[in-house]
Amino acid sequence: MPPAFPALLSAFQFAPRYDVAVASRRGAGAVQRAENQDNFVVIDFAGKACHLLGQEPRHIQLAGWPAGHGRVAVLDGMGGHGHGREAAEAVAAGLLTVPPCHSAAELTRHLDVLHAELQRHFAFDTGARPGTTLTLLELPASGQPLLYHVGDSRLYEIGLTRAMPLTVDHVPATAAAMSGRIDERSWWRQVHGAHSPQIAQAFILGNTFSNPAQLSDPLYELTPLKLPSWLCRLPDRRVLPLREDAVYLLATDGFWSCAAPDSFVSRWPGLLAGAPDAAAMVARLFTALDATPPEGLQADNLTALVLRPLAGMANAHADETALPDAARSGAGRGDRS
């Protein structure tokens, strides 16, 4: 059986724009899952790719990958449906075949094709179809990152005082919010104040958003028009401006599978403060689970990928328009905590 605590991976070439590190483990504590059904994908600026195959890191060089373009993602295979690890492995391997994308629409087209191809591949005669979450950042050489999100893994922006989720969980509570059956406070309490293994959509699996009474094959994009007003700024697929004074965590739900997830997440800014690099940040996240686990921590797989913008380079190519200096300097400013 693969070790519960494989080596942290950080020898990636994302300079001078980013610092990236990732680790994926069967779990924390004495009681752990039998296998790691999580996965991740890293393609660095030199076209060197890494993902898990058979629960072990696999490193390959992608032919023809353009210099300066990157891709990072985390995946959580759905073990309750069988073949969860294989589903996550299949999507991770498929992401290595998706060409570099420069718009959310282009990325969506390629991932829709991959989703449909893998649905056919996993079309078993008996048993439920497997699935996996997918939270992905595409990192073009010119322009801001692109976010693509399916499932209940998350992207967090972690600043000095606050860890803010930048994705909306694809869970029954979100369906209830979109239909107006629960308000913002109830949604937050159900999604971030507690943890439930139920999911409303996953890659390969399909979705129950479009028809709660049955599983539909396509992926259902949560757009600003579909989401309630208090979530409409967090659509699934969008351009994602980065802050140089924050770090970005892509993680699977093992990190908040506990009695009070929001209380545990609120510790992350202090936990990461002063860490010299992305590798140290990933190490601190895992160490905190081992040393001071939150109350009610459940046995689950754990994957954490930290992307740290490097000073002066995070948005070096973000503005491709010819605006006057005054207009450019005022664009995109908002209240950030």
Side-chain angles (χ1 to χ4, degrees):
M1 179 179 292
F5 300 99
L8 187 151
L9 302 168
S10 61
F12 305 117
Q13 300 181 43
F14 285 97
R17 299 184 69 189
Y18 310 110
D19 173 26
V20 172
V22 63
S24 185
R25 301 174 177 176
R26 282 195 292 117
V31 179
Q32 299 186 13
R33 295 284 181 90
E35 65 175 359
N36 186 3
Q37 298 188 338
D38 283 2
N39 215 307
F40 62 85
V41 169
V42 176
I43 306 175
D44 72 13
F45 288 172
K48 295 180 180 178
C50 183
H51 66 114
L52 295 181
L53 183 61
Q55 305 177 72
E56 294 286 354
R58 173 179 179 244
H59 300 267
I60 62 173
Q61 177 67 48
L62 300 183
W65 188 264
H69 194 107
R71 178 177 297 154
V72 296
V74 298
L75 307 93
D76 182 353
M78 296 178 61
H81 288 260
H83 299 279
R85 177 173 62 81
E86 292 84 353
E89 287 180 348
V91 176
L95 292 176
L96 305 189
T97 71
V98 172
C101 297
H102 298 85
S103 71
E106 181 185 11
L107 183 61
T108 294
R109 286 195 299 272
H110 285 289
L111 292 179
D112 280 347
V113 169
L114 179 62
H115 170 73
E117 289 177 345
L118 291 176
Q119 276 192 336
R120 291 190 291 270
H121 176 76
F122 285 99
F124 303 120
D125 292 335
T126 59
R129 187 163 58 202
T132 179
T133 70
L134 173 61
T135 302
L136 178 149
L137 288 178
E138 189 82 353
L139 307 170
S142 178
Q144 295 171 325
L146 308 171
L147 170 67
Y148 182 97
H149 171 68
V150 176
D152 64 350
S153 297
R154 294 176 187 165
L155 169 67
Y156 278 93
E157 179 180 81
I158 304 176
L160 294 176
T161 61
R162 184 181 179 191
M164 182 170 64
L166 299 183
T167 50
V168 174
D169 287 14
H170 293 177
V171 293
T174 298
M178 290 193 296
S179 65
R181 289 181 283 123
I182 61 174
D183 60 13
E184 180 178 5
R185 179 172 294 182
S186 294
W187 178 85
W188 184 270
R189 183 173 62 250
Q190 293 183 41
V191 175
H192 292 279
H195 181 262
S196 170
Q198 289 184 308
I199 194 167
Q201 175 164 239
F203 209 89
I204 303 177
L205 179 69
N207 85 87
T208 59
F209 281 127
S210 53
N211 183 354
Q214 68 179 38
L215 185 65
S216 301
D217 287 343
L219 292 172
Y220 188 88
E221 179 183 0
L222 303 191
T223 67
L225 293 178
K226 295 172 182 173
L227 290 165
S229 59
W230 35 272
L231 286 176
C232 67
R233 64 184 180 83
L234 301 176
D236 292 336
R237 309 165 194 182
R238 67 187 191 270
V239 176
L240 186 75
L242 301 185
R243 292 171 40 186
E244 292 182 4
D245 62 342
V247 297
Y248 294 84
L249 171 67
L250 292 79
T252 58
D253 68 345
F255 277 95
W256 51 88
S257 298
C258 58
D262 47 0
S263 296
F264 181 62
V265 169
S266 70
R267 293 165 44 186
W268 290 352
L271 183 68
L272 302 189
D277 53 27
M281 293 176 184
V282 171
R284 289 186 183 187
L285 289 167
F286 280 97
T287 300
L289 281 178
D290 295 333
T292 56
E295 181 180 355
L297 182 66
Q298 301 172 21
D300 203 352
N301 303 147
L302 301 161
T303 300
L305 186 151
V306 167
L307 181 142
R308 182 175 68 99
L310 299 177
M313 296 303 301
N315 296 307
H317 304 287
D319 189 356
E320 297 177 349
T321 60
L323 295 177
D325 289 343
R328 183 182 296 110
S329 63
R333 290 182 179 171
D335 182 20
R336 296 183 182 274
S337 57

